[in-house]
Amino acid sequence: MKKTVKITAVVMLLVLTVACFVGCGEKNDEKIYKICSDNSFSPFEFWDNEKNAYVGIDMDILAAIAEDQGFKYEMNNIGFDAACGNVQSGQADAMIAGMTINAKRTPIYDFSEPYFNDGQIMCTSKDRVYANLEDLRGTVVAAKTGTAGAEFAESNKEQYGYTIQYYEDSPTMYQAIVNGINSACFEDYTVAASAIKSGVALKTVGSVLNPSPYGFAVKKGCFPELIEKFNAGLKNIKANGKYAEILAKYGIEAQ
Ligand code: ASN
């Protein structure tokens, strides 16, 4: 009897170990973490033609933290929804993508300490007159698949009587509003402000909704050491001024 219990315990341990490896991707000493991100979410991540590379607050924060903590990674800017899919399927180990920490995500991701705070804001074309959510009744709102902005649009669509059209990235979503295909979207305030500053013909309406923190994320239960390193590095780059320097480089005040 005792032996059976022992064998069962060993088998269970083996199964659990294998399950963890399968669920979290491979792990070894020379680990190069596969990290993915959004592809057009300025000032957090965006393509820089001159540098021929993705740049932005997230890109710089992660580089500074990896340097501080001595870990290696490769970055894949595949878009927000794709990044979420890759982390959940184990094709990627982690993501940094201006990702809002919210109740829908905490059961399936482990997040770092917050590294920024932002909420969504309603955006319309510069010359349209939707003054509030009520005015969106009967219109088609634009949303970026899988985002906190989409979640806001979804949770209010019955009450305010609009339907939703989905896009894969922020610039395509903005263009649909500018071109009059859609009435409005709910975008992170800092990102909407950056787009407007760069000449996108949108305006923000009302005040910031759902202010929440941004976090670096792994699939729930995977790579706890990476979250620990991110948190330790974040603390260090905040203490040594690097964090404020990165934000300032992109015209954002340190929080
Ligand atoms: N703040 C957005 C979200 O968490 C991120 C994004 O669109 N890149 O859904």
Side-chain angles (χ1 to χ4, degrees):
M1 184 66 187
K2 254 191 177 168
K3 206 171 176 191
T4 331
V5 171
K6 250 190 197 165
I7 292 172
T8 315
V10 169
V11 169
M12 271 175 72
L13 200 71
L14 268 172
V15 168
L16 269 176
T17 315
V18 170
C20 187
F21 276 106
V22 169
C24 302
E26 106 276 13
K27 221 173 194 179
N28 57 48
D29 290 345
E30 302 288 342
K31 177 90 184 153
I32 299 175
Y33 290 103
K34 286 188 221 139
I35 300 181
C36 47
S37 183
D38 205 342
N39 50 13
S40 198
F41 202 60
S42 173
F44 295 94
E45 42 269 341
F46 57 100
W47 180 254
D48 184 319
N49 263 334
E50 269 163 40
K51 296 207 169 90
N52 202 32
Y54 282 98
V55 298
I57 293 171
D58 285 345
M59 303 296 100
D60 286 10
I61 283 183
L62 186 63
I65 289 177
E67 197 190 338
D68 183 82
Q69 294 292 306
F71 66 84
K72 292 200 179 108
Y73 67 95
E74 55 187 34
M75 177 57 72
N76 204 354
N77 293 77
I78 52 175
F80 187 77
D81 194 43
C84 295
N86 277 17
V87 169
Q88 287 301 325
S89 68
Q91 279 170 276
D93 302 327
M95 62 188 285
I96 184 162
M99 187 175 189
T100 306
I101 304 174
N102 63 24
K104 207 176 156 197
R105 292 174 179 161
T106 45
I108 54 168
Y109 293 94
D110 284 329
F111 285 99
S112 67
E113 293 294 328
Y115 67 89
F116 195 78
N117 268 292
D118 206 3
Q120 287 73 52
I121 193 152
M122 179 170 148
C123 301
T124 67
S125 162
K126 216 166 71 186
D127 33 53
R128 314 258 320 250
V129 286
Y130 301 109
N132 48 44
L133 283 162
E134 259 328 323
D135 287 350
L136 299 179
R137 194 166 295 279
T139 71
V140 183
V141 161
K144 186 167 121 191
T145 309
T147 60
E151 210 183 309
F152 181 86
E154 285 151 8
S155 60
N156 283 285
K157 71 175 185 176
E158 262 90 53
Q159 188 182 349
Y160 294 100
Y162 55 76
T163 53
I164 303 172
Q165 187 166 354
Y166 290 90
Y167 298 92
E168 282 313 303
D169 59 77
S170 292
T172 317
M173 174 175 76
Y174 304 155
Q175 219 39 57
I177 298 167
V178 171
N179 294 343
I181 296 167
N182 299 122
S183 53
C185 71
F186 304 98
E187 179 64 293
D188 293 20
Y189 175 75
T190 307
V191 175
S194 163
I196 291 167
K197 205 170 155 203
S198 75
V200 178
L202 291 180
K203 69 177 177 212
T204 60
V205 178
S207 50
V208 175
L209 315 150
N210 292 336
S212 346
Y214 281 0
F216 171 79
V218 294
K219 183 179 177 180
K220 189 117 209 127
C222 295
F223 308 111
E225 80 290 351
L226 184 57
I227 293 290
E228 264 168 43
K229 284 180 185 162
F230 188 95
N231 287 341
L234 179 63
K235 208 170 161 199
N236 289 344
I237 66 164
K238 278 191 169 174
N240 67 20
K242 183 77 190 163
Y243 172 85
E245 192 186 293
I246 292 170
L247 261 62
K249 178 173 157 193
Y250 295 98
I252 306 294
E253 246 174 69
Q255 297 181 322

